[in-house]
Amino acid sequence: MAAKDNAGADQRDQGNRADRMAHQRSDRHQVVVIGSGFGGLFGTKELRNADVEVTMIAKTTHHLFQPLLYQVATGILSEGEIAPPTREVLAGQKNAQVLLGEVTDIDLDKQHVVSHVLGRELVTPYDSLIVAAGAGQSYFGNDHFAEHAPGMKSVDDALELRGRIFGAFEMAELAAKRGESTDHLLTFVVVGAGPTGVEMAGQIAELAHRTLKKDFRSISSKQARVILVDAAPQVLPPFGKKLGDWTEDKLSGLGVEVKLGAMVTDVDERGLVVKYKDDTEERIDAITKVWAAGVQASPLGKTLSEQSGAGLDRAGRISVNPDLTLPGHPEVFVVGDMISLDNLPGVAQVAIQGAKYAAKEIDGRVKGKPAQEPFKYFDKGSMAIISRFRAVAMVGKLRLTGVIAWLMWLVVHLFYITGFKNRVTAVMHWFISFIGRDRSERTTTEQQIFARVALQRLERGASDLVSDPGQFDADAEHRRREELEAQAAEESRLSDANERGVHIGA
């Protein structure tokens, strides 16, 4: 009993020391960066030569190249190729450290952020703060749709969708073998006709009509229906009518059914309901649905708004000053998808350029330099791939389609993939998928499909699967150690005595 009490006391002491360490501050300027996406990573790297200490706090351990998630979902690339470990990327930057945790609160007066991971809380102080928490999927107030129509914002989303897509073909093969209908299994619906939705629909169509056409015996994958729905009147609205019409024509040529002016009003396990402008409704029976419509800024925007008085738009984006600082708080910069400023688009380049600007301003302040001119975004263009050899690109007044745009898309995306080895393997997989017809990343499991829903049914999510901080049973640990030592000793004795496989009689 005394040993157990001492162990508990030691642990409490360790916890108190950990709290004190979390609040310790060195003499150097402390910069906290929230998020490991484009804004967080490029902002941190921009400070590599500054006389500051940088702490990146992110809820994942990787830097995600989100524009290529649909290629993970459709079996072209592995998740590792588009999501390298953040620690590996920043390993050579001596003034940066990476902490795992989801930031749940920011105290502007006390200048610290609060993060949590599996029930553990950490408080991290800052002198300057870069908030690059990005945006999540928006279901326009119908969050229950997410259970049956995953979004495309994380590696978990992509792996779950990979399991759902390839799993649908497997279940259709079984159903056909039993003489059952396969229509609902071989119907794939993508909601949202923006770049992500267009790219996803095009790749599912290629997967069904080209990659898998010889793989099954009881079904023909070429009979699969791929449907792209959107409430908007055209495909790819930000690209203009000409490129939108060209894209719709090419999608139709791939066998994709494009339904425009169709608003999704209900989603369940076996399908969805769309409503047209004339108030007519249509139910589409489909097991596999992909949600690629709308984004909602990180909830941290609301946290900052409540404390600073800065306004929020309908998508949860916060109004910032022309220098990307929070009104009334010049030490806080907000970048990327979270900001509402000059109608900036929610694209990677806005986050990258904004984060670099913020980092340069912080470095300048530390060095006593005058403030920069207000942030000005340089638009490097937009592009979307439809299928192999088909893409659209918009660079300034230039509009490109077809193979030229497709090659441009390959080069640009290859440039922004982090890490040399990831670029090499991406090129190899693109060659296999686009020149040939194979998809090298087709492994799926039931866990990929159902783990998210199972975790959501737990009261505290994954935290319910681990011990709470401070819970420790020294006696149980001691007994377990003795059992393991005895087991190891017996295994060793059996080998030394050559008694494995030998029957020892009475």
Side-chain angles (χ1 to χ4, degrees), residues 147-277:
E147 180 175 355
H148 306 297
M152 282 288 290
K153 291 296 181 182
S154 69
V155 169
D156 284 333
D157 290 338
L159 292 178
E160 179 179 346
L161 284 169
R162 183 197 290 177
R164 286 175 179 254
I165 293 167
F166 286 100
F169 288 102
E170 297 294 339
M171 296 306 294
E173 178 82 350
L174 290 175
K177 198 74 174 176
R178 293 161 56 93
E180 300 169 355
S181 173
T182 62
D183 290 348
H184 61 299
L185 291 165
L186 292 179
T187 299
F188 303 84
V189 179
V190 180
V191 182
T196 300
V198 165
E199 291 171 336
M200 192 70 181
Q203 284 306 314
I204 295 176
E206 282 215 336
L207 185 69
H209 303 156
R210 188 167 179 269
T211 304
L212 302 178
K213 67 179 183 179
K214 294 183 179 180
D215 289 14
F216 296 94
R217 300 295 177 263
S218 299
I219 62 170
S220 171
S221 67
K222 296 176 69 175
Q223 299 302 312
R225 293 179 66 197
V226 182
I227 304 172
L228 179 65
V229 302
D230 199 305
Q234 75 160 75
V235 171
L236 296 179
F239 285 69
K241 181 171 175 53
K242 183 178 179 180
L243 291 184
D245 290 345
W246 188 90
T247 300
E248 182 179 350
D249 179 66
K250 297 305 176 185
L251 284 170
S252 298
L254 287 171
V256 177
E257 301 174 36
V258 181
K259 296 178 181 289
L260 300 174
M263 180 180 293
V264 176
T265 59
D266 192 23
V267 179
D268 58 38
E269 183 180 2
R270 296 182 67 86
L272 51 77
V273 176
V274 297
K275 187 175 184 178
Y276 297 96
K277 291 184 68 175

Side-chain angles (χ1 to χ4, degrees), residues 15-270:
N16 292 334
R17 286 196 296 272
D19 288 340
R20 288 195 296 270
M21 288 176 63
H23 289 85
Q24 284 180 347
R25 303 182 64 152
S26 73
D27 294 334
R28 300 181 79 187
H29 190 91
Q30 302 293 308
V31 181
V32 171
V33 177
I34 300 176
S36 62
F38 286 109
L41 183 67
F42 279 82
T44 299
K45 293 174 72 173
E46 191 71 12
L47 290 165
R48 59 188 176 277
N49 296 319
D51 186 22
V52 299
E53 290 185 0
V54 187
T55 301
M56 175 190 283
I57 305 176
K59 59 183 179 182
T60 66
T61 61
H62 53 262
H63 162 65
L64 177 61
F65 193 150
Q66 198 173 94
L68 289 177
L69 270 177
Y70 76 94
Q71 293 201 2
V72 174
T74 53
I76 297 174
L77 298 177
S78 74
E79 62 273 22
E81 286 156 352
I82 69 165
T86 313
R87 293 185 183 279
E88 179 180 305
V89 176
L90 297 175
Q93 186 169 332
K94 300 303 181 184
N95 69 339
Q97 65 170 325
V98 179
L99 298 177
L100 176 64
E102 181 174 5
V103 174
T104 55
D105 191 25
I106 301 172
D107 193 315
L108 297 178
D109 293 330
K110 295 180 180 179
Q111 292 192 196
H112 69 227
V113 302
V114 180
S115 58
H116 289 83
V117 59
L118 295 178
R120 278 73 172 169
E121 180 179 289
L122 181 67
V123 178
T124 308
Y126 64 84
D127 296 309
S128 294
L129 177 66
I130 299 178
V131 186
Q137 202 72 62
S138 173
Y139 289 86
F140 308 108
N142 298 293
D143 290 348
H144 58 286
F145 288 0
E147 180 175 355
H148 306 297
M152 282 288 290
K153 291 296 181 182
S154 69
V155 169
D156 284 333
D157 290 338
L159 292 178
E160 179 179 346
L161 284 169
R162 183 197 290 177
R164 286 175 179 254
I165 293 167
F166 286 100
F169 288 102
E170 297 294 339
M171 296 306 294
E173 178 82 350
L174 290 175
K177 198 74 174 176
R178 293 161 56 93
E180 300 169 355
S181 173
T182 62
D183 290 348
H184 61 299
L185 291 165
L186 292 179
T187 299
F188 303 84
V189 179
V190 180
V191 182
T196 300
V198 165
E199 291 171 336
M200 192 70 181
Q203 284 306 314
I204 295 176
E206 282 215 336
L207 185 69
H209 303 156
R210 188 167 179 269
T211 304
L212 302 178
K213 67 179 183 179
K214 294 183 179 180
D215 289 14
F216 296 94
R217 300 295 177 263
S218 299
I219 62 170
S220 171
S221 67
K222 296 176 69 175
Q223 299 302 312
R225 293 179 66 197
V226 182
I227 304 172
L228 179 65
V229 302
D230 199 305
Q234 75 160 75
V235 171
L236 296 179
F239 285 69
K241 181 171 175 53
K242 183 178 179 180
L243 291 184
D245 290 345
W246 188 90
T247 300
E248 182 179 350
D249 179 66
K250 297 305 176 185
L251 284 170
S252 298
L254 287 171
V256 177
E257 301 174 36
V258 181
K259 296 178 181 289
L260 300 174
M263 180 180 293
V264 176
T265 59
D266 192 23
V267 179
D268 58 38
E269 183 180 2
R270 296 182 67 86

Side-chain angles (χ1 to χ4, degrees), residues 422-458:
N422 292 334
R423 294 190 182 104
V424 172
T425 54
V427 168
M428 293 174 60
H429 285 157
W430 283 344
F431 183 84
I432 292 170
S433 299
F434 296 146
I435 305 302
R437 65 177 64 208
D438 195 16
R439 304 279 172 111
S440 56
E441 299 294 332
R442 288 169 52 175
T443 302
T444 64
T445 67
E446 287 187 357
Q447 287 189 47
Q448 290 174 346
I449 303 173
F450 300 110
R452 174 180 60 92
V453 175
L455 285 173
Q456 288 175 346
R457 290 175 179 171
L458 297 176

Side-chain angles (χ1 to χ4, degrees), residues 2 39 47 49 66-67 73 85 125 132 206 208 233 308-309 320 328 344 381 399 405 409 412 418 420 422 437 439:
L47 290 165
N49 296 319
Q66 198 173 94
E206 282 215 336
S308 67
V320 294
L344 291 172
R399 303 292 186 268
W409 180 94
V412 170
T418 302
F420 174 77
N422 292 334
R437 65 177 64 208
R439 304 279 172 111

